[in-house]
Amino acid sequence: MTERLDYHESLSGILIKMKEKPYHLQGFIVTTNFQTWHETFRWAIDTPSAGITPTDYRLHMVDDGTLTAELQSVKWFGNSRDGIVFHRVAEIALLGGLGCGGVLLSKALKELRESGKYDYVVLQSTKMAIRFYERYGFVRVGAITRFKDNAMMPEVAYRHWSEIVDGEALEPSYMMALRFKETSTPGLCSMNSQITNREAQCSSSERLHEIKSALKSVFTLLAEALTIRATGSQIYSNSFREMMLTALIFAKSAEDDSMVSTMNEALDLASSNSSAWSKNLIREELSIPRPKEIRQQQLSSGALVEIRTPQASC
């Protein structure tokens, strides 16, 4: 909460206290304008980097891509130093309540909508609160960025506040959104949408399709992680590690115990500054040859001509 007060200029909130002394606090909610400190931030759902797995689509309310595209088209102003504010996008910054969270959220949403200042509201949900927010019309949307806004690094799953607040976020942020404005377009994820949650149960063929899709995303993410070149900086190691963490999410979705075990081992190696060994482990798991092996294969097949500098004669 202290960090929010320090970084956000526009904050409003609602408190619920006991009627009688000592007036114990029962709940609170804080709203503000949605703000980020990443110039490379973007809303995106059609990339494995967003970390949204096939299982997520089945078990939770996930945007079909329309709401995400609308958020991406929103105008913004500011910079990474002072903050980038998204026009007409509100954020539920903080919410806590002893049995009164629903009352607080309903009242806050009503005030935001009636203010006429916002078209959308977004939030970062904990895993425990996903179902709670879904009951009020929120759906998951994808968000990605580049670590430290470095254009040479790959896009990774967005972590709200993780580079401002002390400590390390163990998982990417679970971003959810809601549309205020009325729309008749089918498939939009808002309080007025016709989207319903998919059944938790699925057939064996549907589950097989989920597994194949998840493992394809694992391969895509790890193959891209292998292209990250060492620079000796924290940007390199963190980007590499974040790509693997996202791949691990998909491996768990596929319930591939062998892949999960390999990913955990690779992450341990990366955390101990053994990125080269971590990459070798990934290559072995994916049956991807090392760069030196590729070069040798190209030389032996004639696809690559090795040029040698002639030595001067004595």
Side-chain angles (χ1 to χ4, degrees):
M1 184 179 294
T2 302
E3 288 82 8
R4 297 287 174 136
L5 295 174
D6 289 340
Y7 286 93
H8 281 293
E9 295 182 359
S10 176
L11 287 171
S12 61
I14 305 169
L15 295 176
I16 293 181
K17 294 183 178 181
M18 296 290 290
K19 289 184 177 180
E20 301 177 354
K21 291 182 178 180
Y23 308 115
H24 289 305
L25 180 67
Q26 297 299 296
F28 62 90
I29 189 168
V30 177
T31 62
T32 184
N33 298 314
F34 177 69
Q35 190 170 357
T36 181
W37 281 261
H38 297 265
E39 292 185 359
T40 56
F41 170 90
R42 70 183 181 98
W43 300 101
I45 203 168
D46 57 351
T47 170
S49 297
I52 302 177
T53 70
T55 307
D56 289 327
Y57 278 96
R58 175 164 53 87
L59 298 181
H60 297 293
M61 298 290 289
V62 180
D63 175 44
D64 65 353
T66 314
L67 178 55
T68 301
E70 288 183 24
L71 288 170
Q72 178 59 18
S73 67
V74 168
K75 294 180 179 179
W76 54 267
F77 58 91
N79 53 61
S80 58
R81 182 190 61 189
D82 302 318
I84 298 169
V85 179
F86 281 69
H87 184 57
R88 299 186 65 81
V89 180
E91 178 186 356
I92 304 295
L94 296 165
L95 171 61
L98 299 175
C100 58
V103 174
L104 286 165
L105 183 58
S106 295
K107 184 171 178 58
L109 291 176
K110 182 174 183 293
E111 290 184 359
L112 289 171
R113 182 183 292 106
E114 292 178 350
S115 73
K117 297 179 180 179
Y118 302 102
D119 296 324
Y120 310 94
V121 58
V122 301
L123 57 85
Q124 174 184 330
S125 175
T126 63
K127 291 295 179 66
M128 294 293 292
I130 293 172
R131 295 290 187 185
F132 168 76
Y133 288 117
E134 287 178 342
R135 291 198 296 270
Y136 290 87
F138 284 89
V139 296
R140 187 173 186 184
V141 288
I144 56 180
T145 189
R146 298 182 192 275
F147 192 76
K148 296 292 185 182
D149 284 336
N150 189 310
M152 301 300 293
M153 293 295 105
E155 290 181 315
V156 296
Y158 177 62
R159 297 173 188 235
H160 204 36
W161 288 94
S162 64
E163 290 186 21
I164 297 175
V165 183
D166 291 336
E168 180 183 0
L170 298 180
E171 293 183 341
S173 297
Y174 196 104
M175 302 301 294
M176 303 185 76
L178 171 72
R179 179 193 295 100
F180 280 146
K181 61 184 179 182
E182 295 292 333
T183 178
S184 58
T185 304
L188 299 186
C189 301
S190 67
M191 292 186 73
N192 299 316
S193 74
Q194 300 301 314
I195 288 183
T196 56
N197 193 10
R198 300 182 182 182
E199 293 293 331
Q201 301 297 323
C202 65
S203 65
S204 57
S205 60
E206 289 173 332
R207 179 55 185 155
L208 180 61
H209 177 75
E210 283 186 359
I211 292 172
K212 288 181 177 179
S213 178
L215 291 178
K216 181 179 179 181
S217 293
V218 171
F219 186 93
T220 300
L221 289 162
L222 293 182
E224 186 172 5
L226 291 174
T227 67
I228 302 175
R229 295 290 181 263
T231 62
S233 70
Q234 198 69 19
I235 295 177
Y236 160 78
S237 58
N238 283 349
S239 295
F240 178 64
R241 187 168 180 268
E242 297 232 357
M243 294 292 287
M244 290 197 295
L245 282 170
T246 307
L248 178 61
I249 293 174
F250 281 95
K252 289 180 177 179
S253 172
E255 297 181 323
D256 189 325
D257 294 338
S258 175
M259 180 66 75
V260 170
S261 177
T262 300
M263 289 303 307
N264 282 324
E265 185 178 352
L267 280 166
D268 289 340
L269 289 170
S271 298
S272 61
N273 297 320
S274 300
S275 296
W277 289 103
S278 179
K279 284 187 172 183
N280 288 337
L281 187 63
I282 293 173
R283 289 191 180 96
E284 290 176 3
E285 181 67 22
L286 301 182
S287 299
I288 297 177
R290 296 177 176 85
K292 184 177 180 180
E293 295 172 346
I294 295 176
R295 179 178 172 82
Q296 290 174 343
Q297 292 173 2
Q298 291 174 331
L299 283 170
S300 61
S301 65
L304 180 67
V305 178
E306 187 171 22
I307 301 175
R308 296 179 181 274
T309 303
Q311 296 180 355
S313 58
C314 299

